[in-house]
Structures are given as structure tokens and as C-alpha cells.
Amino acid sequence: MSVIILGIESSCDDTSASVLKDGIIYSNIIANQDVHMNYGGVVPELASRAHQQNIIPVVHQAMEKAGVTADEIDAVAFTRGPGLLGSLMVGTSFAKGFAMSKNIPLIEVNHLQAHILAHFIDDLKNTYDHPGFPFLALLVSGGNSQIIVVKDHLDMEVIGETIDDAAGEAFDKCAKVMGLPYPGGPLIDKNAKQGNPLAFEFSRPRIQGLNYSFSGLKTSFLYFIRDKVKENPNFVQENMNDLCASLQYTIVDILMNKVKRAAKETGINQVAIAGGVSANSGLQNALHEAAEKHKWKVFVPQLGYSLDNAAMIAITGYFKYLRNEFVGQDTAPFARMTIK
Ligand code: KG4
């Protein structure tokens, strides 16, 4: 039986729509919102307004690129949460309206689960190597830092998570301290390539078990820069690359230490990274080094499927469709959702 699913993602500041046919992604359209750049972070009200403007053209483009009409779609999958409520409401309302008008099933998707299931995407250009079960996932984004045992597509267990800030937040907030625009993560990554990772040393958390903490690092970075700028007002500009390289080295080291421990404790030797920070070149290099040393098999998502995107919502929707996991029109979005 052939199935076509429309995926909708609007949890933060990217409006995205994707069309999946029989497990293959045919289109994945993402509209970014430049409007937040001047504010040093996402402004929720501006994000939901931009989603309102973008959602219809983005869905239209996704269907056009996939060569399908609205009447051919069998189900709509949408991000229910976690995310910004005003942003989630735009995608949720659109999905509900679409499903009702076409009399087709509605599928709710947990955004975090979807980031992990991005590892099961194949598209028209490529089929990729997918992890087998069980595998470990390091989910690192602007709002999450978690280590998860993935037992099946829809069966996941969180075994470690941040007790305060997420890794992406640490990148973005430290970037802001250095005067870099939002989102700072990709810029730190770019500058780090020209810098010395051992030029500066920053504090590392001492947290029990497999949990993370990044708020101490963020504060110590802020004080460090403040003190150095008092001595030399041009300190940041003169040391930008070394600062970025040292900060990235520290964040990646913190992340990887717990992943290594998780692999040892669980005996699982397949490791996948997911979420926006998985695009970081330092993290990818560290993962490949660990793979060689510890004989792991590792999985890094394609860039288009690592940042927020609707293809990951469509593939998650597909797995739920195959199990008849549908929801009703009374389904409301949730700003806070965890992996169950
Ligand atoms: O998953 P994502 O697109 O959005 C959510 O948070 O759900 O992740 C965005 C985060 C931001 O914090 C951004 O700075 C970070 O991912 N990011 C990176 C890189 N690319 C994106 N952080 C470090 N290095 C990168 N190359």
C-alpha cells in the first residue's frame, strides 16, 4: 500500500514542510526567520507571526517539489512540542485544518524523537546507512542535551540530560558575550577552525552520572571575558579564533566524556548524534576519533536533516502511521514535552 505524508515543523524559528512517499523524502522546504538576528535570540511573538506568513507558501512549495497535490496526501504529521507555544500553534492549527478539510488522519510528533529518527531518512538523492537497535543518541540542540538509549523507532529511554542549560544555549550565549550575532553556534564553529583549542582553559562541571551542566561554563566564560576586556578592550577581537576554538573544545569534551561513559555502562557501540549542535565540526571529529578508538559505529545526520526540519517530522509520522497512531482534532500543542 502506498502512503504519502505531509510533515509540518514550526516549533521555534524555522517554518518547514516536507512530503514523504513510502518512506522516502521527496521534499523538505525550510524558511528561516532572519528577523531575530538583531535581537540576540528568538523573539517568540515575531516567530509566530513569521510562521503565519510562511506556512502556506512553504507547504505549497513542498507539495510542488514532490509533485503531489493536496488531494493525494494520506496523513498530516505535525510537531506537537516541545517548543515555543505561539510557534507550535501555527503548525498545529494548519495541520488540523488540512486534515479536517481532506478528511485524513492527524499524527502528533515529539520534536525530540523526530531529531533522532532523522537517522532513518532516505531521500530521492540517497539512501543512507541507518543505525540498528539498540543505539545511543546524543541529542544536542538549542534546548536539549540528552543521552538516549534508542530501543526501537518509537521506544526511547533518556539516561542522561542537562540539569540546566543546553549545549546549543552555551554556544549561543557565549557567542553573544563575544559580540557575535544569533545563532552563535555555527560562527563559533567557523572561527574555531582557525584557532588553538588549548589557548584558554574554561571550567568544567562535576556532575554525577550521565547528566550534563553548562551554566557554570557560561558564567565562567562571561567573567573571564569581562576581566580580560578590562585589561585590554580589544581582547575579544584579537583572540576571537582562539576563544572560539577553546570554548568549542571544552563543550565537545564535556559532551563526549559522558557519551563514552554511557557506551561503557550500556555496552552499546553504535552512537548517533542529533539536533542542531550535531552540525558542529569539532563534535563530529571527536565522535569519529572515539569511533576509531572504541570500535564504535557512528552516525552523523545530513546537514539538511540535523537542524529543525519537517523531513524528520514526516519520517516519524510515517512510523506512527504504520502503527495507526493517530490523534483527534482536540489535540493541543505542548511547550514542554519529553521523550517517553
Ligand atoms: O535543533 P536546532 O536547529 O533547534 C532547536 O534548538 O531545536 O538547534 C539549534 C542550535 C542553536 O543553538 C545553534 O547555535 C546550534 O544548534 N548550532 C550549532 C551549529 N549549528 C547549529 N552549534 C555549534 N556548531 C554548529 N555548527
Side-chain angles (χ1 to χ4, degrees):
M1 185 192 61
S2 181
V3 54
I4 301 182
I5 292 178
L6 172 66
I8 304 287
E9 155 65 27
S10 72
S11 64
C12 190
D13 60 340
D14 295 307
T15 320
S16 182
S18 169
V19 173
L20 171 147
K21 272 194 208 179
D22 301 326
I24 311 285
I25 297 296
Y26 275 58
S27 63
N28 183 36
I29 306 296
I30 305 172
N32 307 115
Q33 301 180 359
D34 294 340
V35 66
H36 308 286
M37 272 205 163
N38 300 330
Y39 298 93
V42 176
V43 183
E45 176 62 25
L46 296 181
S48 48
R49 284 189 216 175
H51 282 305
Q52 286 279 12
Q53 285 177 340
N54 293 341
I55 189 102
I56 302 277
V58 160
V59 170
H60 193 78
Q61 236 181 305
M63 291 195 299
E64 202 169 70
K65 189 164 177 214
V68 306
T69 64
D71 288 334
E72 290 174 291
I73 290 169
D74 296 302
V76 189
F78 68 98
T79 304
R80 185 178 189 181
L84 300 170
L85 197 62
S87 291
L88 291 165
M89 277 170 69
V90 178
T92 305
S93 306
F94 177 88
K96 285 195 209 177
F98 192 96
M100 185 182 254
S101 71
K102 299 290 168 198
N103 197 22
I104 54 175
L106 194 56
I107 304 168
E108 62 154 28
V109 171
N110 179 323
H111 180 87
L112 305 177
Q113 210 168 36
H115 266 304
I116 294 169
L117 295 181
H119 282 284
F120 294 91
I121 287 175
D122 289 318
D123 57 32
L124 285 177
K125 284 197 200 120
N126 280 303
T127 49
Y128 304 97
D129 197 13
H130 304 310
F133 299 113
F135 66 93
L136 285 177
L138 172 67
L139 176 60
V140 268
S141 69
N144 290 278
S145 298
Q146 294 182 320
I147 302 177
I148 297 150
V149 177
V150 185
K151 300 170 188 170
D152 196 1
H153 293 121
L154 301 173
D155 184 5
M156 305 183 185
E157 184 191 351
V158 177
I159 56 170
E161 63 192 326
T162 182
I163 59 166
D164 42 54
D165 291 349
E169 226 174 326
F171 271 111
D172 295 340
K173 288 185 176 161
C174 291
K176 196 174 171 187
V177 169
M178 292 187 282
L180 297 173
Y182 177 85
L187 296 168
I188 290 182
D189 191 2
K190 189 168 165 236
N191 295 335
K193 292 189 176 117
Q194 325 291 331
N196 174 7
L198 303 177
F200 304 106
E201 206 174 321
F202 302 114
S203 79
R204 281 148 205 266
R206 283 195 201 94
I207 302 292
Q208 296 286 312
L210 297 172
N211 286 339
Y212 290 117
S213 165
F214 288 101
S215 71
L217 170 64
K218 183 188 69 187
T219 312
S220 82
F221 188 77
L222 176 73
Y223 290 158
F224 174 79
I225 297 288
R226 190 193 57 185
D227 294 346
K228 290 288 183 187
V229 167
K230 263 189 210 155
E231 292 164 16
N232 169 12
N234 296 324
F235 177 79
V236 172
Q237 288 76 6
E238 287 170 10
N239 295 282
M240 180 61 91
N241 293 341
D242 285 350
L243 283 168
C244 289
S246 302
L247 179 69
Q248 178 168 299
Y249 178 78
T250 310
I251 295 175
V252 167
D253 202 41
I254 294 169
L255 289 171
M256 286 304 297
N257 278 340
K258 294 288 169 97
V259 173
K260 286 175 195 163
R261 189 164 163 179
K264 208 168 168 188
E265 283 179 12
T266 60
I268 297 172
N269 63 358
Q270 291 186 91
V271 182
I273 53 173
V277 181
S278 69
N280 184 266
S281 61
L283 178 60
Q284 293 186 2
N285 292 340
L287 185 74
H288 288 298
E289 271 170 35
E292 213 157 279
K293 187 165 173 203
H294 302 288
K295 306 276 175 279
W296 295 348
K297 190 165 183 206
V298 296
F299 301 85
V300 175
Q302 302 297 308
L303 189 60
Y305 304 133
S306 65
L307 302 175
D308 286 350
N309 69 90
M312 67 185 196
I313 305 304
I315 189 80
T316 307
Y318 178 62
F319 293 128
K320 291 190 141 191
Y321 183 92
L322 296 178
R323 294 170 190 219
N324 290 322
E325 285 192 25
F326 305 129
V327 292
Q329 284 284 334
D330 56 348
T331 306
F334 285 136
R336 290 180 181 275
M337 268 175 100
T338 53
I339 286 181
K340 283 171 255 133

